Amino acid sequence: MIKHSVSRWCFDSTALDTLCEKCLNLGISGIDLLMLDEIPLVQSLGMECSITAAHPDADGVGTIEKGFNNPTFHPALHRIYEKLMPAAAELGVKQVICFSGNRDGISDQQGLENCAAGLAPMVALAEKHGITLVMELLNSKIDHPDYQCDRTRWGVALCKKIDSSHFKLLFDIYHMQIMEGDVIRTIQDHHRYISHYHTAGVPGRNEFDTSQELNYPAIARAIGATGFDGYIGQEYVPTTEDPFEFLPKAVAFCSQ
């Protein structure tokens, strides 16, 4: 049931049409984190945009660092998503990414309240257009210092507070291994709040195999056992001269 995708930015040195061709040959049907203007080309080649990229404004609002946990950014974020979600829906895209933003002194409880308030009208709009807003879980230890949605329990608390099937989490396995570990149990306990997964090796965020901490075949089986029928997106950073050398193995590791 699991579908496979790749994150565009990990293969950004490859032309988009070439990336699609490579992916199709491997049974990969989605490209993650595309800009709106990239989506028609991907669709014309027989693939889909599995989740959009962020579309920040000129001041950087809508990036990982400037998200819904800060009420100062809510007006700008609403303008961004009031354009992005209908446009994505018009293209047939079902998932749109969003971020909590950095703490910047905001407590986790206050950040939760602020996110819920800022997201409420956007989730209503997502429901109207058949879109799911998806907040990504990211580590604040190495890659994204001070990011607030850095643990599953915080993201799940936000999902419960918003209480809509049109707001869920992107569970990035790499990031959550760094922050909390216990990946399989966490997925089993909280899968109903997760609509997308990302992969990468720990440590390093590169290709993953038996030299790494994470057992991706076991993780993929656990994801499949929950009945998940969405995408597992490959988001590792290739280290080989041929960036596609490991991709067939990545798909195999993440297939049931």
Side-chain angles (χ1 to χ4, degrees):
M1 294 186 294
I2 291 171
K3 297 179 284 189
H4 298 279
S5 60
V6 299
S7 286
R8 173 64 178 129
W9 72 269
C10 297
F11 298 89
D12 59 5
S13 63
T14 302
L16 190 53
D17 56 348
T18 301
L19 176 59
C20 289
E21 180 183 358
K22 296 277 191 181
C23 288
L24 285 168
N25 288 337
L26 293 172
I28 296 169
S29 58
I31 307 288
D32 294 357
L33 308 180
L34 289 171
M35 302 301 290
L36 286 173
D37 60 2
E38 297 176 305
I39 295 170
L41 172 59
V42 167
Q43 292 173 332
S44 74
L45 296 171
M47 299 191 70
E48 65 176 310
C49 174
S50 27
I51 188 167
T52 68
H55 285 63
D57 68 11
D59 296 319
V61 176
T63 57
I64 289 169
E65 298 82 9
K66 296 183 177 181
F68 282 94
N69 67 341
N70 191 329
T72 302
F73 302 139
H74 287 176
L77 286 165
H78 291 171
R79 289 192 294 271
I80 290 167
Y81 284 92
E82 283 165 0
K83 293 180 180 179
L84 177 55
M85 286 192 292
E90 183 69 21
L91 289 166
V93 179
K94 298 299 184 183
Q95 296 193 121
V96 172
I97 201 165
C98 67
F99 302 104
S100 67
N102 286 358
R103 289 180 172 85
D104 288 331
I106 299 170
S107 71
D108 282 354
Q109 183 58 42
Q110 190 60 58
L112 192 74
E113 300 291 338
N114 293 347
C115 278
L119 283 162
M122 299 299 95
V123 173
L125 187 62
E127 292 172 352
K128 177 181 176 181
H129 289 282
I131 292 286
T132 301
L133 265 177
V134 185
M135 182 172 285
E136 186 164 11
L137 293 156
L138 300 169
N139 84 74
S140 60
K141 181 178 178 181
I142 297 172
D143 298 284
H144 303 287
D146 204 40
Y147 185 71
Q148 191 143 53
C149 188
D150 62 352
R151 293 184 184 272
T152 306
R153 65 174 179 267
W154 191 93
V156 168
L158 181 58
C159 288
K160 289 179 177 178
K161 192 168 187 64
I162 290 173
D163 192 25
S164 170
S165 62
H166 290 266
F167 179 79
K168 294 197 174 186
L169 302 174
L170 194 168
F171 187 91
D172 191 302
I173 297 163
Y174 159 81
H175 287 294
M176 290 302 96
Q177 172 67 4
I178 289 171
M179 291 303 298
E180 58 193 25
D182 203 18
V183 168
I184 288 177
R185 188 197 308 271
T186 301
I187 289 168
Q188 291 169 336
D189 288 349
H190 301 300
H191 63 88
R192 67 183 62 85
Y193 303 109
I194 300 167
S195 67
H196 202 89
Y197 291 89
H198 274 168
T199 73
V202 180
R205 200 174 190 169
N206 304 122
E207 296 90 346
F208 46 90
D209 54 25
T210 55
S211 69
Q212 298 282 300
E213 294 178 6
L214 291 160
N215 183 344
Y216 272 100
I219 293 169
R221 287 192 296 272
I223 292 171
T226 68
F228 181 73
D229 60 358
Y231 279 96
I232 293 181
Q234 302 298 335
E235 203 183 26
Y236 66 89
V237 179
T239 60
T240 52
E241 184 177 350
D242 175 4
F244 297 98
E245 182 178 327
F246 180 74
L247 194 53
K249 294 179 182 178
V251 173
F253 282 142
C254 295
S255 299
Q256 297 179 66

